[in-house]
Amino acid sequence: MRLPGVFNIENALSALAAAHCVGVPADSIINTLEGFGGTRRRFDIRHEGPLRLKNGEIDDVMLVDDYAHHPTAIAATLEGARRRYPDRRLMAVYQPHMYSRTKAFFEQFLEAFDTADVVIIADIFPARERDTGLIHSRELVAALAERPHFVQGGAQVYHGGNVGETAQVLASTLRSGDLAVIMGAGDIYTVAEQLLHSAEREAI
């Protein structure tokens, strides 16, 4: 399968069983599963290969866009990426979604990034909420920095800021061999677009 992660294997097995029950030939099922590239914003590979940025050309980098926005989905996405690409430095770029969710699941969010080598936390996407001043993404960054994975394990965590600033932080941190998984339900998907657009301008 093209898509990593145990949850994608489970989904594929369910689809296989359903197709088999209604009489779809085995060869057709296999070919379909092998060719399935996923849906938009679910481990959506936006770029794979060289990338020329202002800080120089990176020989080999992957940019992946994913809708994961709660702790369970983040952990599962990163674990799948780690299993599929064990030799790449794994970067998690995450935009918290809603102030209330960030505050309510704060402790669970802290455990969700233990698979990543580098974590960049953007500012919270408010969606339908207003900023009450009770939570900020910097608090998540500070708490992550105190976890053993970052203190003793050598992982790094950064505050990204707004989406444009987060794209700049990612661009300055990327190096050859990296896999950057850009996650969230807000407008964080534009980070990959900004990097690719910047690379196009650099190439002209």
Side-chain angles (χ1 to χ4, degrees):
M1 289 183 60
R2 298 183 183 182
L3 300 176
V6 173
F7 58 96
N8 280 314
I9 294 173
E10 292 171 346
N11 290 341
L13 288 172
S14 298
L16 185 155
H20 176 72
C21 285
V22 297
V24 178
D27 287 347
S28 179
I29 296 173
I30 292 170
N31 291 335
T32 301
L33 288 176
E34 285 181 342
F36 180 63
T39 58
R40 185 174 178 270
R41 301 216 63 215
R42 290 296 187 185
F43 213 84
D44 185 5
I45 299 176
R46 299 295 311 279
H47 177 83
E48 185 173 5
L51 189 66
R52 183 179 295 177
L53 300 171
K54 291 181 180 179
N55 56 331
E57 183 163 340
I58 303 171
D59 294 332
D60 174 29
V61 68
M62 287 183 66
L63 300 177
V64 171
D65 181 29
D66 197 279
Y67 190 73
H69 60 283
H70 58 80
T72 304
I74 292 168
T77 299
L78 293 177
E79 179 64 27
R82 174 64 77 198
R83 286 176 176 270
R84 177 62 64 89
Y85 304 98
D87 297 327
R88 288 186 178 270
R89 188 174 73 147
L90 180 57
M91 304 183 72
V93 183
Y94 174 60
Q95 181 188 51
H97 191 258
M98 298 171 57
Y99 300 101
S100 60
R101 178 180 287 133
T102 305
K103 188 170 179 61
F105 296 102
F106 191 86
E107 295 300 323
Q108 291 92 328
F109 277 119
L110 296 183
E111 300 174 358
F113 296 95
D114 281 352
T115 308
D117 299 302
V118 179
V119 178
I120 302 172
I121 305 292
D123 288 338
I124 297 171
F125 185 79
R128 58 185 176 273
E129 296 182 337
R130 290 185 177 183
D131 185 0
T132 60
L134 297 177
I135 189 71
H136 194 282
S137 60
R138 288 192 188 92
E139 296 173 49
L140 188 56
V141 171
L144 283 168
E146 295 179 357
R147 287 182 61 78
H149 179 65
F150 296 89
V151 176
Q152 301 164 2
Q156 301 168 295
V157 58
Y158 303 97
H159 174 240
N162 63 38
V163 170
E165 292 166 341
T166 298
Q168 293 175 13
V169 173
L170 176 58
S172 66
T173 311
L174 274 172
R175 66 189 190 202
S176 186
D178 283 353
L179 163 58
V181 184
I182 302 163
M183 297 176 291
D187 57 356
I188 193 67
Y189 67 91
T190 62
V191 165
E193 295 178 355
Q194 290 181 43
L195 261 63
L196 294 174
H197 184 62
S198 175
E200 290 174 0
R201 291 203 308 269
E202 290 295 314
I204 294 176

